[in-house]
Amino acid sequence: MESCYSQQRGFLISLFLLNVLIYWGGYGKVSGCLDSERKVLTTFRKALNDPSNLLSSWDDDASHCCKWRGITCHNITGYVVKLDLHTHYDGIFINGRIDPAFSLSGRIDPALVQLKHLQFLDLSYNAFYGTPIPNFLGGMKELRHLNLSWAGFSGSIPHQLGNLSKLISLKLSSSSLSAKNLWWLTSLPSLNYLHMAYVNLSMASHDWVHVMNNCPSLVELRLPYCGLSYISPTLPPVNFTSLRVLGLRFNNFNSTIPNWIANFSSLVYLYLSGNNFHGEVPYRFSQLPNLEGLGLGSTDDNLRVDWSEFLEGSWWKLKILDPSFSQLHGGIPNSIWNMTSLESLSLSFSENITGSIPRAITKLINLETLSLYRYQMHAAIPDCLYELKNLKHLRLRDCMLTGPIPAARLGGLSSLEELHLPGNQLNGTIPTTLGQLSNLCRLDLSYNSLTGNVSESVFENLKK
């Protein structure tokens, strides 16, 4: 009797496991999206203008809306979990605005809130001009990713977005949006990525730093061109220590650079260019162990950097260095060879930079971009530059370069895509070896003393 019971029990367990395997193996998958959610999507679409038929697939098979463009359903439950209706922005701008003829416009129907399981919503690069961001989006509690950048929305960003407590990524970049305060962001404990480029945050300037300090999960914070005018000189213990990207370019800061920024040991990219910072650049920036990109510089040329001392730091990971607009004294020192990972170096608008480019620059074997503006060399194009075989962008503008362009050496820069040498004192003829640069797509030799004619046949081998 006991043996029979054991056999029966074993059979039931086996049957249960078989059902589980069948279900998770695919036989339990829902075919097509749920009828209730199909109706929501149909209602949502009726409120949109779609002159270029971007959503033409939404009419093909009403019963299989999971196959419609931009829609992703959960492969087990059939719930719509992703709605990605961003427009590919290449070529659709007219006078800085998205062209409505090639994007979506109209209004966002409140029926969208009925997609209870939606985790991803992207309406970026569309043309919802004159429309505010709907308050009801704050009711989509399962959202993890929300991208409304450059979608034409205008007005104040609704604080109801602070109800999206599961949000990981929030992208609202737009020159037609504004916010008077940002404290609603502190209700988003999982927020990793915040992009608000060009949003008018001038009314939130006084406490934006303290708001961000209450968002401990932040990994990327991008607030360029936001009209911010105040950055707190001190900060209590820094809470958002996971920050990897801090982008504050072209705001209206008029102060010294706060030392607390150097406490972000996880920083990979730090961009502060185009502000009115003054005084000394904190030397501790050179001790950030993970830094790969550094953009400095002040629009009023009052930011000072001791170039030789600055390069004594631990720069072995740095890939991008742009101290443009800064007062950099002396030439480029030989210690630059310590920055062996460097891919881009820009010394634009640094009028106090003089001297020659050291031969040690040839040790920067990964260098792809070299941009010098008003670097007063008073000499021929340095021979060492022709040894940078990975160089793609060479910009030497108003650098007091003299003599001819060396024809024999130029053809060796086979990776070159951009060659800008305007505003110098170069003479002689334009070398025909330019035609050997098969990747070249941008060339500027204007405002020199070059002579002669260049046949179109010289450029026949260029790919672009």
Side-chain angles (χ1 to χ4, degrees), residues 294-324:
L294 177 62
L296 297 170
S298 174
T299 55
D300 60 8
D301 202 28
N302 285 325
L303 191 64
R304 298 186 302 276
V305 179
D306 187 326
W307 184 248
S308 298
E309 179 182 302
F310 210 58
L311 288 180
E312 294 301 321
S314 304
W315 296 111
W316 62 280
K317 284 188 177 181
L318 201 70
K319 296 180 180 179
I320 302 170
L321 177 61
D322 181 2
S324 302

Side-chain angles (χ1 to χ4, degrees), residues 84-150:
D84 185 357
L85 299 181
H86 80 277
T87 301
H88 295 285
Y89 54 86
D90 290 342
I92 65 171
F93 281 94
I94 295 181
N95 296 325
R97 289 164 61 92
I98 301 291
D99 187 353
F102 299 98
S103 56
L104 300 174
S105 59
R107 66 182 181 87
I108 308 300
D109 196 283
L112 195 64
V113 179
Q114 297 176 38
L115 298 178
K116 301 292 186 182
H117 302 271
L118 196 68
Q119 298 181 15
F120 183 105
L121 177 60
D122 189 344
L123 300 176
S124 60
Y125 295 97
N126 280 296
F128 298 103
Y129 295 125
T131 303
I133 295 176
N135 295 345
F136 59 74
L137 292 182
M140 307 187 75
K141 300 297 182 65
E142 294 299 316
L143 276 181
R144 269 72 164 176
H145 304 275
L146 178 60
N147 189 352
L148 304 178
S149 292
W150 305 110

Side-chain angles (χ1 to χ4, degrees), residues 352-402:
N352 292 320
I353 291 291
T354 59
S356 61
I357 297 177
R359 181 165 182 77
I361 199 172
T362 60
K363 297 184 179 182
L364 305 181
I365 58 175
N366 297 302
L367 197 67
E368 296 182 357
T369 298
L370 179 61
S371 180
L372 305 179
Y373 179 29
R374 293 179 179 172
Y375 187 95
Q376 301 170 32
M377 284 184 266
H378 299 280
I381 299 175
D383 287 341
C384 58
L385 296 184
Y386 301 111
E387 298 181 35
L388 299 172
K389 301 302 182 182
N390 291 317
L391 205 61
K392 295 181 179 179
H393 309 277
L394 178 58
R395 310 181 189 109
L396 305 176
R397 182 179 176 186
D398 295 337
C399 288
M400 301 284 185
L401 293 171
T402 61

Side-chain angles (χ1 to χ4, degrees), residues 223-283:
L223 302 176
Y225 297 93
C226 288
L228 294 169
S229 58
Y230 178 75
I231 185 167
S232 178
T234 59
L235 197 63
V238 177
N239 291 328
F240 53 130
T241 54
S242 298
L243 203 65
R244 293 170 56 85
V245 178
L246 178 59
L248 299 173
R249 296 184 306 120
F250 291 95
N251 280 286
N252 300 321
F253 302 125
N254 188 6
S255 65
T256 58
I257 297 177
N259 283 311
W260 55 260
I261 294 179
N263 292 333
F264 297 123
S265 59
S266 298
L267 266 185
V268 178
Y269 297 102
L270 173 61
Y271 298 122
L272 303 175
S273 300
N275 287 288
N276 296 319
F277 288 121
H278 51 78
E280 294 285 346
V281 174
Y283 173 73

Side-chain angles (χ1 to χ4, degrees), residues 190-234:
S190 301
L191 190 65
N192 291 164
Y193 305 95
L194 179 62
H195 297 186
M196 299 179 73
Y198 289 90
V199 175
N200 185 350
L201 300 179
S202 57
M203 298 293 290
S205 285
H206 62 290
D207 58 4
W208 72 271
V209 171
H210 296 284
V211 171
M212 301 308 161
N213 201 36
N214 283 277
C215 299
S217 299
L218 275 178
V219 174
E220 283 191 17
L221 177 60
R222 298 181 185 267
L223 302 176
Y225 297 93
C226 288
L228 294 169
S229 58
Y230 178 75
I231 185 167
S232 178
T234 59

